Amino acid sequence: MKIRKRTIALLIYFFLLMLPIYWMLNMSFRSNADILGYFALYPKDITFANYMRIFTDKAWYSGYLNSMIYVTINTLISLSLALPAAYAFSRYHFVGDGQIFFWLLTNRMAPAAVFLLPFFQLYSTFGLIDTHIAVALAHCLFNVPLAVWILEGFMSGVPKEIDETAYLDGYSFPRFFIRVFLPLIRSGVGVTAFFCFMFSWVELLIARTLTTTNAKPIAATMTRTVSAGGLDWGLLAAAGVLTIVPGALVIWFVRNHMAKGFALGRV
Amino acid sequence: MDKWENNRAWFLVLPVFFIVAFSAIIPLMTVVNYSVQDIFGPGQRVFVGTEWFEEVLGDKRLHDALWRQFLFSGLVLLIEIPLGVVIALLMPKKGWGASASLVILALPLLIPWNVIGTIWIIFTRPDIGLLGAAINTMGIAFDHTASPIQAWITLMFMEVWHWTPLVALLAYAGLQAIPEAYYQAAKIDGASAWSTFKYIQLPKMRGVLTIAVLLRFMDSFLIYAEPFVLTGGGPGNTTTFLSIYLVKIAVGQFDLGPAAAFSLIYFLIVLLFSWLFYQALQNVGKGDVK
Amino acid sequence: MTLEWMAWTLPTAAFFLTIFCMLVCMTIWQMASPSIPRRGFLPISTTRGDRLFIGLLGSAYIHLAWLGFTDLSIWIAFPIAIVWMIVVMRFG
């Protein structure tokens, strides 16, 4: 009886959570005239016109590709740099370790608006404006510290005796790290990758500032197209739905890792 | 856990240090430089000392925005942290239900922030939105673009809807780390659900809750895209938070100097409070099970 | 590759150089004689590096408060901040 009450409460919460997303989905299958014409809880004349427009117009679909490219690069960079650093923080004491750890976190704290100008200048100095790598590097500013922080938690959950035994068995550090240690925290790496993907995917201000056309993210395409020619609610909703799809695919593939990773140790 | 004393570990941290310093320190120094000068254009600038800081500190509208910001972040923490913990406690511990819950929870987090604003415009508009229309049919005139109170309520709903899943995910991770033996011991002792929570689950969640509180404080204090899209800071200035006001100065009036001074003060405030939270959460209940 | 856009001025350059020197000195000091966390008048136990951070952050706030609440010269706040730094480093 008690279990049932918990499940019902949880289901109600999930229902409320899905409601706004459902509403956007509903809108995306209706034409603009239809939306403004009458109120409907579900689409009566389903149309795919909004989606067709996004998939056939390069200005639209390239936005998705750009976002996916820089998010992937960023996740790879963040993980490969954060793994050794997190190991250092979880296993060793060294000069300034506490201070560096907190300093890394402070990089999430600066208000973006004014930092955008120096950011733009810095990346133009290196000729990186409007490239995917520029956005990927800039997003490292907040993703690398987060990755270090989360991974450090997972690594501290692994007993130090494992390291000691491996070193006694004659493993070198790189071999131990890749062959023994990484498989142990595999699920933790999955969880970290999810967080990196997420924060890079949803960030707009920096991505918009550092790009003009070739690497413009989808979220920026949405804001510009909308302000240009009045509000097309149906198209806007369809574009919004499509921004959820890549993320949804990612969590679908890592869901078991996440469940396991979360069970693995203190994050 | 005792750690090994070894300064060569620095070499493992160096790549991270350089990549973050590249994007962090150079822009930060540039903003400090901006903040003490009057900049007319490329190459044309005058040193003005601390004038911008005085101007910004005396700005009445900034004070208003600051209190609004504290109220907002305070409410966010007060609502989202307990709610997230409760949801994590309700979630199934294993099986397909656990995976499904995780997937559903993660969905709102994966939506770009300006799209969040768009979703909530579509959802709450009185003419085409489900929520807006529903409230209006109940006989309450609802329009968040006209009433400050309703704008705030809508914003809070959006914020709670958007970010509570993050707290829930992290809290869930903390709960999963508790060995089954702890619960069995509690059961044998005849502990109530409340004391199980207070003495076993809550202390074990300290680490993840530190992350949750810090992330939620920083991100809500710096919130920009969602309220900008949803309310544009209005009606009037009632939802103009610090970052929205900052953008008004930096982009709208193109006052680089004051905007830079403003950013630095803003940064110092976030820094101080994050540090306080960090220290408090690190030290609370030290010596507990760990 | 030009760095003109960084808009350097003499005072800010001096400021950053001072901070940089402090960090270098602290690192060398720490290597020479590692600091042990201890408990002073601050409510938490701190290492030397922690106290430097607290001192610097406190100094920033002293200067801001001075600018915000008084019309006097900023140079009066400076020695106050120095005293604060010394007190925190020594007794914190």
Side-chain angles (χ1 to χ4, degrees):
Chain A
M1 192 57 212
K2 195 167 159 253
I3 302 297
R4 281 198 58 79
K5 235 190 264 169
R6 289 168 64 143
T7 319
I8 289 169
L10 197 64
L11 284 179
I12 291 174
Y13 173 72
F14 284 155
F15 173 73
L16 293 176
L17 202 63
M18 287 301 112
L19 214 49
I21 296 178
Y22 163 73
W23 196 248
M24 186 165 69
L25 196 64
N26 171 13
M27 293 274 162
S28 72
F29 289 120
R30 302 170 65 186
S31 71
N32 206 36
D34 195 37
I35 291 169
L36 295 173
Y38 61 97
F39 186 85
L41 284 177
Y42 58 93
K44 292 200 171 75
D45 311 301
I46 290 185
T47 167
F48 292 98
N50 299 319
Y51 288 100
M52 287 315 290
R53 225 185 109 189
I54 291 171
F55 284 127
T56 51
D57 186 348
K58 187 168 184 299
W60 275 105
Y61 70 77
S62 67
Y64 288 100
L65 292 178
N66 291 333
S67 295
M68 279 185 242
I69 293 171
Y70 71 68
V71 169
T72 312
I73 300 176
N74 171 268
T75 307
L76 291 177
I77 298 178
S78 301
L79 279 182
S80 49
L81 294 185
L83 276 168
Y87 181 80
F89 282 118
S90 83
R91 292 296 193 252
Y92 296 107
H93 261 308
F94 46 93
V95 172
D97 53 355
Q99 281 77 23
I100 292 286
F101 200 61
F102 186 73
W103 168 74
L104 283 174
L105 297 182
T106 64
N107 292 302
R108 287 189 75 86
M109 300 175 195
V114 174
F115 286 83
L116 291 177
L117 184 62
F119 250 105
F120 181 83
Q121 301 272 25
L122 177 66
Y123 283 93
S124 349
T125 306
F126 289 93
L128 288 172
I129 291 299
D130 208 18
T131 58
H132 300 108
I133 192 78
V135 185
L137 277 179
H139 282 180
C140 283
L141 179 63
F142 47 84
N143 263 353
V144 168
L146 190 75
V148 171
W149 202 9
I150 297 178
L151 283 172
E152 196 268 343
F154 280 115
M155 290 179 178
S156 300
V158 179
K160 237 174 50 172
E161 286 70 33
I162 290 180
D163 306 34
E164 281 162 353
T165 322
Y167 292 139
L168 283 181
D169 287 348
Y171 275 87
S172 68
F173 172 68
R175 214 165 80 100
F176 155 73
F177 197 73
I178 294 164
R179 300 284 293 280
V180 180
F181 199 68
L182 270 187
L184 279 176
I185 55 157
R186 199 175 48 208
S187 298
V189 176
V191 173
T192 315
F194 164 75
F195 275 103
C196 289
F197 176 94
M198 172 190 128
F199 278 110
S200 180
W201 179 257
V202 298
E203 203 282 338
L204 170 69
L205 280 179
I206 293 176
R208 194 173 62 185
T209 308
L210 295 180
T211 56
T212 49
T213 47
N214 290 330
K216 190 156 91 173
I218 178 58
T221 316
M222 278 180 74
T223 55
R224 286 182 194 173
T225 315
V226 170
S227 55
L231 282 175
D232 187 341
W233 294 112
L235 187 64
L236 192 62
V241 170
L242 288 179
T243 60
I244 310 181
V245 173
L249 287 178
V250 168
I251 33 176
W252 184 255
F253 284 121
V254 301
R255 68 185 191 284
N256 289 328
H257 270 300
M258 276 176 69
K260 252 189 256 157
F262 279 166
L264 195 113
R266 71 177 187 90
V267 170
Chain B
M1 194 197 303
D2 287 333
K3 293 179 184 176
W4 295 308
E5 196 77 39
N6 191 344
N7 277 329
R8 278 189 307 172
W10 250 106
F11 289 110
L12 297 174
V13 182
L14 270 186
V16 162
F17 180 79
F18 279 123
I19 202 160
V20 175
F22 174 73
S23 294
I25 292 179
I26 296 176
L28 178 67
M29 290 199 291
T30 311
V31 170
V32 172
N33 291 340
Y34 289 164
S35 71
V36 292
Q37 298 179 81
D38 198 351
I39 295 174
F40 310 109
Q44 288 175 292
R45 47 202 174 84
V46 185
F47 183 76
V48 296
T50 55
E51 193 184 314
W52 299 136
F53 285 92
E54 278 167 69
E55 186 186 310
V56 166
L57 285 170
D59 186 347
K60 177 80 175 52
R61 288 167 64 196
L62 186 134
H63 297 166
D64 293 345
L66 182 64
W67 295 125
R68 225 174 271 139
Q69 189 71 65
F70 273 118
L71 179 64
F72 182 75
S73 288
L75 284 175
V76 162
L77 287 178
L78 279 180
I79 297 173
E80 287 180 10
I81 300 293
L83 188 61
V85 171
V86 168
I87 290 161
L89 287 171
L90 291 177
M91 276 164 64
K93 285 209 175 56
K94 45 177 152 309
W96 66 269
S99 301
S101 305
L102 287 176
V103 172
I104 294 176
L105 271 184
L107 267 184
L109 298 172
L110 287 157
I111 305 171
W113 293 346
N114 59 329
V115 180
I116 297 273
T118 311
I119 290 180
W120 278 79
I121 291 180
I122 295 177
F123 192 56
T124 57
R125 265 178 71 111
D127 52 347
I128 60 171
L130 180 61
L131 186 67
I135 295 175
N136 275 326
T137 36
M138 283 192 286
I140 305 160
F142 177 83
D143 184 2
H144 66 73
T145 54
S147 149
I149 295 285
Q150 290 178 356
W152 263 83
I153 294 174
T154 315
L155 265 182
M156 284 312 299
F157 264 100
M158 176 175 76
E159 173 65 28
V160 169
W161 175 83
H162 184 188
W163 284 112
T164 307
L166 180 76
V167 181
L169 279 182
L170 290 169
Y172 182 70
L175 284 177
Q176 289 287 65
I178 303 174
E180 194 57 36
Y182 280 61
Y183 292 115
Q184 279 159 5
K187 220 175 202 172
I188 291 165
D189 290 348
S192 67
W194 171 245
S195 49
T196 311
F197 175 72
K198 196 174 160 201
Y199 296 110
I200 296 176
Q201 293 170 320
L202 202 56
K204 274 283 179 184
M205 279 195 285
R206 198 188 62 204
V208 285
L209 286 183
T210 308
I211 300 185
V213 168
L214 274 173
L215 278 182
R216 283 319 304 133
F217 170 73
M218 292 183 214
D219 290 349
S220 71
F221 211 83
L222 296 168
I223 191 166
Y224 174 73
E226 301 99 312
F228 181 77
V229 173
L230 185 66
T231 66
N237 273 327
T238 45
T239 55
T240 301
F241 297 116
L242 276 181
S243 58
I244 297 182
Y245 187 48
L246 175 63
V247 172
K248 271 185 192 163
I249 298 178
V251 182
Q253 304 165 14
F254 206 74
D255 278 342
L256 213 45
F262 185 168
S263 304
L264 290 175
I265 297 171
Y266 197 161
F267 175 63
L268 281 174
I269 296 172
V270 184
L271 185 60
L272 175 68
F273 279 87
S274 303
W275 185 78
L276 289 176
F277 279 129
Y278 184 73
Q279 290 299 339
L281 289 158
Q282 292 272 305
N283 290 301
V284 156
K286 243 203 181 139
D288 275 355
V289 258
K290 184 172 178 194
Chain C
M1 186 164 146
T2 157
L3 289 176
E4 159 60 27
W5 54 267
M6 285 188 77
W8 280 106
T9 64
L10 197 60
T12 48
F15 170 73
F16 279 113
L17 263 179
T18 319
I19 301 272
F20 181 72
C21 289
M22 272 186 194
L23 292 181
V24 171
C25 294
M26 290 300 286
T27 311
I28 294 170
W29 187 7
Q30 181 73 19
M31 300 252 247
S33 73
S35 147
I36 302 144
R38 67 137 198 259
R39 187 72 179 267
F41 70 85
L42 293 166
I44 49 169
S45 70
T46 53
T47 62
R48 219 182 277 137
D50 296 334
R51 288 194 292 277
L52 180 73
F53 174 79
I54 296 167
L56 286 175
L57 190 63
S59 305
Y61 272 91
I62 289 173
H63 283 100
L64 280 185
W66 197 265
L67 283 173
F69 296 119
T70 69
D71 290 326
L72 302 168
S73 162
I74 187 74
W75 292 110
I76 306 174
F78 188 64
I80 302 178
I82 298 272
V83 171
W84 158 254
M85 283 285 292
I86 292 169
V87 168
V88 169
M89 288 302 281
R90 178 67 191 81
F91 304 104

